[in-house]
Amino acid sequence: MKNIALYSLPIRYMLIYVLLILMSGIWLFLLSQGLECSDTVISTLKNIIASPVEKSVEGLIEVATPHLFAIGTLIFVTAHFMLFSTKFSQKLSFIVAMFLFVFALFDIFSYFAIAFGLVVSGWIKLVALSGFVLLFLLILGLVGFSL
């Protein structure tokens, strides 16, 4: 990285912070889907696939608006740390960041598919969330490796 002494400490704090955000986000998602009522995470995931919790349009707007802002900002900051990397090309950074934005939108709009009855199973939300988290962990790994 260019001027590694200037960027190393803030990037490390950001990596820890973002990992905690991801873990709490997954936990809150599972809690909203009925984790406290069931015994295990696996049974909660099976319940999400079989019969996801009812979604309303008002709830959708209430959830999607802050998520669009927060997830977009988080991706924006993380992707910009990749611009300082000398170990990875800017083209790779751009591709990963764009796919991350696409999966974030897919994750948020999968809520639409459930709310409007386009999908009766919760598999779309699980696929979208898993794809987003895996890509985000990839970009965090790239940022961490760039240190």
Side-chain angles (χ1 to χ4, degrees):
M1 295 191 104
K2 302 170 189 163
N3 297 324
I4 192 160
L6 297 175
Y7 298 106
S8 180
L9 189 60
I11 290 174
R12 288 177 190 183
Y13 279 121
M14 191 252 341
L15 289 174
I16 293 168
Y17 176 69
V18 169
L19 283 174
L20 291 172
I21 288 174
L22 279 176
M23 288 187 316
S24 66
I26 292 169
W27 184 255
L28 288 173
F29 169 72
L30 291 173
L31 283 176
S32 73
Q33 297 297 316
L35 181 63
E36 69 267 356
C37 298
S38 63
D39 295 334
T40 64
V41 172
I42 301 297
S43 63
T44 302
L45 293 175
K46 287 179 183 177
N47 288 340
I48 294 169
I49 292 171
S51 60
V53 174
E54 283 290 320
K55 310 289 186 215
S56 67
V57 178
E58 293 82 15
L60 173 65
I61 293 169
E62 186 178 316
V63 169
T65 305
H67 277 80
L68 281 170
F69 176 75
I71 291 173
T73 303
L74 198 60
I75 295 170
F76 179 79
V77 170
T78 308
H80 273 76
F81 275 122
M82 285 299 296
L83 292 176
F84 301 113
S85 174
T86 55
K87 296 182 181 178
F88 300 103
S89 69
Q90 287 189 351
K91 183 178 180 180
L92 175 68
S93 302
F94 178 75
I95 289 170
V96 173
M98 287 301 105
F99 274 112
L100 198 54
F101 274 114
V102 168
F103 267 92
L105 286 174
F106 178 51
D107 182 32
I108 292 167
F109 289 114
S110 65
Y111 200 103
F112 276 103
I114 295 170
F116 290 116
L118 300 173
V119 179
V120 293
S121 173
W123 64 267
I124 190 168
K125 184 66 176 166
L126 291 176
V127 168
L129 181 65
S130 300
F132 174 73
V133 168
L134 290 175
L135 271 173
F136 205 84
L137 289 175
L138 173 68
I139 200 166
L140 287 178
L142 293 175
V143 170
F145 186 73
S146 294
L147 293 176

